[in-house]
DNA sequence: TAAATTGCTATACAAATGTATAGCTAAATA
DNA sequence: TATTTAGCTATACATTTGTATAGCAATTTA
């Protein structure tokens, strides 16, 4: 499961209501609009939530009327697309170097939110981006600097290219589970030895797409 | 020339200002915001223009603060894209099988327009997408089914991966020009013979990025 | 256990905002 | 020529709106 604990349930409700309002009206709700839908009798309740949401980076606003804007972070958090007219773009978090022992979707791990075409990508719920380091998967034509689109999942089928967390951090490998239960993570470059099952091996997701810039 | 006579110059100015404001702020201007930029000393001047623009179908609004929305008609009129999307997404044509002897950017060639993240792609002017067929470039880790992002240009430097039009259609190859002027298009898979210069060889563009779906 | 945070109610207020009234000039139209 | 339309100025006003003050209860954190 992806960790989304950065917001409380109430804060999440408020954020979702803002999204719903903008999706329906194409302009931002007022503080009182939010309070009314959430059942608050005072604008202050909603106003306090807005302040928290802004501090945590989920919205932007200023002192003008109806000036709330959803950030890319909130679009990813809600698992929704940009509410403004076109329905083609999703936002995926680009993760930096993933350290072992910590949840993968922590604040420090997320470098930026990248808009991705839903049209060529399909549904992007629970996906993230990861930069490839090294040439251990060159046999699968995945090379250093490539950006991977990873679908979050904690199991895999034999032969899947997965992102896994082992002792020394995150690795990209082909997944194989033997009959005796031993898990093997194979590089597709023969120069690299396979990693054999360890207790603390955790599958983070499956690679479903690759992006590469050629300069 | 497309007729754009449905609006007067002043009305057009007001409409453009609304667009500029939304593009800059991601929320609608107030009546007074518009009046100020246009140099009116009264909100009524701007308000009258808004009423006309709404009656003519260029905007929608209600009595709420900052509730102006641009219609598709106005986006077309101004020759712009949705201001909230324009920052992040460009549309690139995905070309089908390119036949020799015809211009590359014909209507029949364009299968669809794919929204592409400008953030990971950079400037996309004059670019197009092309599906790879065959494994002749597998040595460069470009394989069958990959989608190429191609920058339109009719020259290339040695070693560039280019899209070229030869007798039998479009090919993706590495470009080399010898001292004697002979042009050689090399596959990176040794199983394929190089193509040597022909009179009707035309460079269409250079490959600047690759996208691949893994199922 | 003490302090901070969350999540509100109730009330108030100044500023922002949409809209109305009245009227003016210049240009276009009938 | 008379009338309408476009394009404003000046002023006013009722809401809408963001925000502040004061306070309370429950929960979480230190």
């Amino acid at each position: 499961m992806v960790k989304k604990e950065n917001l409380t349930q109430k804060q999440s409700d408020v954020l979702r209501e803002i999204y719903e309002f903008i999706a329906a009206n194409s302009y931002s709700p007022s503080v009182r609009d939010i309070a009314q839908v959430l059942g608050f009798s005072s604008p202050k309740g909603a106003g306090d939530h807005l302040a928290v949401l802004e501090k945590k980076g989920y919205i932007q606003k200023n002192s003008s009327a109806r000036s709330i804007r959803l950030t890319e972070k909130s679009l990813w958090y809600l698992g929704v697309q940009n509410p403004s007219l076109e329905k083609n773009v999703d936002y995926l978090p680009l993760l930096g170097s993933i350290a072992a022992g910590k949840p993968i979707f922590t604040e420090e791990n997320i470098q930026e939110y990248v808009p991705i075409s839903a049209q060529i990508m399909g549904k992007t719920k629970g996906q993230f981006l990861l930069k490839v380091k090294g040439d251990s998967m060159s046999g699968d034509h995945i090379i250093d600097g490539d950006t991977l689109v990873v679908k979050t999942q904690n199991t895999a089928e034999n032969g899947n290219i997965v992102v896994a967390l082992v002792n020394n951090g995150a690795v990209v490998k082909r997944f194989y589970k033997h009959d005796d239960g031993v898990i093997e993570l194979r590089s597709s470059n023969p120069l690299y030895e396979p990693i054999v099952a360890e207790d603390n091996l955790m599958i983070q997701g499956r690679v479903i797409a690759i992006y590469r810039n050629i300069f």
Side-chain angles (χ1 to χ4, degrees), chain A:
Chain A
M1 264 291 284
V2 179
K3 261 236 166 187
K4 290 189 176 179
E5 303 291 289
N6 201 14
L7 294 184
T8 65
Q9 183 59 49
K10 286 296 172 117
Q11 289 162 1
S12 180
D13 290 347
V14 172
L15 184 62
R16 185 166 298 277
E17 170 52 27
I18 295 170
Y19 164 78
E20 298 289 352
F21 190 101
I22 295 177
N25 299 286
S26 299
Y27 59 88
S28 167
S30 67
V31 178
R32 282 168 182 79
D33 287 336
I34 297 168
Q36 190 183 32
V37 174
L38 276 281
F40 304 161
S41 60
S42 164
K44 190 60 171 22
D48 285 351
H49 277 116
L50 294 184
V52 173
L53 287 172
E54 183 169 33
K55 202 176 70 184
K56 291 187 176 178
Y58 288 86
I59 63 171
Q60 292 180 339
K61 60 188 286 299
N62 58 30
S63 61
S64 292
R66 299 179 182 277
S67 64
I68 301 171
R69 285 145 286 161
L70 296 174
T71 62
E72 297 175 356
K73 185 176 181 178
S74 64
L75 296 178
W76 166 77
Y77 177 87
L78 293 171
V80 297
Q81 300 175 348
N82 193 319
S84 46
L85 305 186
E86 295 269 355
K87 308 292 184 188
N88 291 325
V89 179
D90 280 355
Y91 288 84
L92 297 188
L94 174 61
L95 301 189
S97 52
I98 302 172
K102 288 182 182 174
I104 194 169
F105 281 102
T106 54
E107 210 63 23
E108 316 100 75
N109 264 345
I110 298 177
Q111 293 189 340
E112 60 179 325
Y113 290 85
V114 180
I116 292 290
S117 158
Q119 201 164 319
I120 57 172
M121 195 71 77
K123 295 287 174 189
T124 60
K125 277 251 173 98
Q127 297 181 6
F128 63 93
L129 305 175
L130 190 64
K131 286 259 181 190
V132 172
K133 284 167 190 155
D135 62 346
S136 71
M137 293 303 283
S138 63
D140 286 303
H141 304 291
I142 296 172
I143 58 180
D144 191 67
D146 283 3
T147 301
L148 303 179
V149 182
V150 185
K151 181 182 177 184
T152 305
Q153 55 186 58
N154 49 29
T155 61
E157 294 179 36
N158 279 353
N160 283 175
I161 300 176
V162 299
V163 173
L165 227 50
V166 293
N167 283 343
N168 48 339
V171 295
V172 179
K173 295 284 178 279
R174 275 200 185 267
F175 175 88
Y176 291 95
K177 187 168 189 174
H178 296 257
D179 290 340
D180 56 6
V182 173
I183 290 172
E184 187 187 354
L185 298 179
R186 280 188 215 157
S187 296
S188 61
N189 182 338
L191 296 178
Y192 291 79
E193 291 294 319
I195 298 172
V196 179
E198 308 177 26
D199 288 338
N200 46 2
L201 179 148
M202 292 197 307
I203 305 295
Q204 297 297 324
R206 185 168 69 86
V207 176
I208 60 168
I210 296 164
Y211 177 79
R212 183 189 310 155
N213 261 323
I214 299 180
F215 298 105

